[in-house]
Amino acid sequence: MSIALPRYAGRPRALPPVTAVVAVVALLAVPLGPDGGAGGAHPADAVSALMVLYCAARLVRERRRPLSGTAAVLLGLPVLGLAVAAAGAGSPAAGLAGFGRYLQVFVLVPAAVLLLVRGRGDVRLLAWAMTGLALCQGAVGVHQYATGTGASYQGEPVRAVGTFGAQDVMGMATVVSLGLVCAVGLALGRGPTRGRLVAAGCALVLLAPLALSFSRGAWIATAVACAGQLLLAGARRALAVAAALLAAGVVLTVGFGVGTAMLQERVGSIAEVADAPDRSVTDRYSMWAAAAGMWRERPLTGVGLKGFPEHRDAHASLALSSGSETDGAGAGYVRQPLLSPHNMYLLVLAEQGLVGLTALAGSWLALLALGLRRLRRLRRSCVARSGAGGAAPPRAGLIGCGLLVWQLTDFGYADIGGPSTVLTAVCLGLAAHWALAFGDRETGS
């Protein structure tokens, strides 16, 4: 398969600016040892900082306006809540560290991606890079399951975690899910038939490592995002892809034995969390209640950045355990303290209050509304020109909206943390690129 790269007039040998973003994505495939690099910065984080500096240098050299007024408001809105929460942190060091991390993930890196991704070809290149990363991590994860070298799950070393290690069990699930959403967007959108078929094949292949991650939150977020993409693509494409997914599920379950008792139990537990929750669900409910208690104590500004661990015990119930246990994937047994509520909205509400949550969530919802409006407008114009049968939606729109929907859904079950967090920032930048129509034509694919 050949992927059309963007052309830059007068600079045939120069690498496009989006290469800096691709480098950040590619570095997430680098293994960091049995513990997955826990406790230290990942190379992708360091390169993302260099990417921001590179973007700033290009802006100075090209002497062009960095962002439109709308983009500056939407991407800069979270800074308000962050500044207030940093000022109210328990210690200046904690406030500064939290402010820097949030600024990186939700402001600086997304803005740099928005500026470095110049058009449709860049979006395709970055989407294929994320799909390739998902395939690499997924292959490692499937091997871990097949050979019994994964992270411990129900006492057996079968959980697929990729190169992220047992202490970041959500890393591979996040990467594979986002890669699958990109592949679905490439398959459903406008483009050459061969490329769409390859993308559809990649999406089907990624179902296996996603299942073997045993991550309920990733399953739910992926199902919601892909269902949204199917609805946006039209009824005919939705039926075709649904049939392919059903066939793939039958093959994985019957032909390859992916439908193990553990996997079936994990799927069934999604509907049983309210009746007979397991230990992890009980801990999560307890931490959610603790986060809500912190918010009720300081409803407007929260307890300050990085303040959840300090205030957790004062608001948590006795049902909360002392920590989670990790083992396997080449690392020894480790008991990790529960330092976050595993819900981004409740974490922001507890630490930043209504001011911070309104700023962050308002920015995300505005990007989603603008992206969906643009996608629907372009699709209607395609229907008017070529009829319903030829109204394939733009790939960039399906990818941008799909990634944002996945992230907003997953935030109900997870928060930022670990090496894969930098991929969250890249996804927000792609969503902003589409929503704000930055550097692309109105008829772009």
Side-chain angles (χ1 to χ4, degrees), residues 20 37 85 98 100 169 173 205 211 233 238 247 261 287 311 313 326 337 343 352 371 377 392 402 438:
V169 294
V205 169
M287 290 188 292
H311 293 80
D313 292 341
T326 62
N343 181 303
Q352 303 179 41
R377 183 171 66 247
F438 201 89

Side-chain angles (χ1 to χ4, degrees), residues 77-100 102 298-308 310-311 347-357 359-360:
L77 189 61
V79 178
L80 172 63
L82 292 176
V84 174
S91 69
L96 186 60
F99 183 80
Y102 275 92
R298 300 182 187 177
L300 287 181
T301 59
V303 297
L305 292 181
K306 298 287 187 178
F308 182 88
E310 180 183 351
H311 293 80
L347 177 63
V348 173
L349 193 63
E351 295 188 344
Q352 303 179 41
L354 287 174
V355 173
L357 183 62
L360 267 174

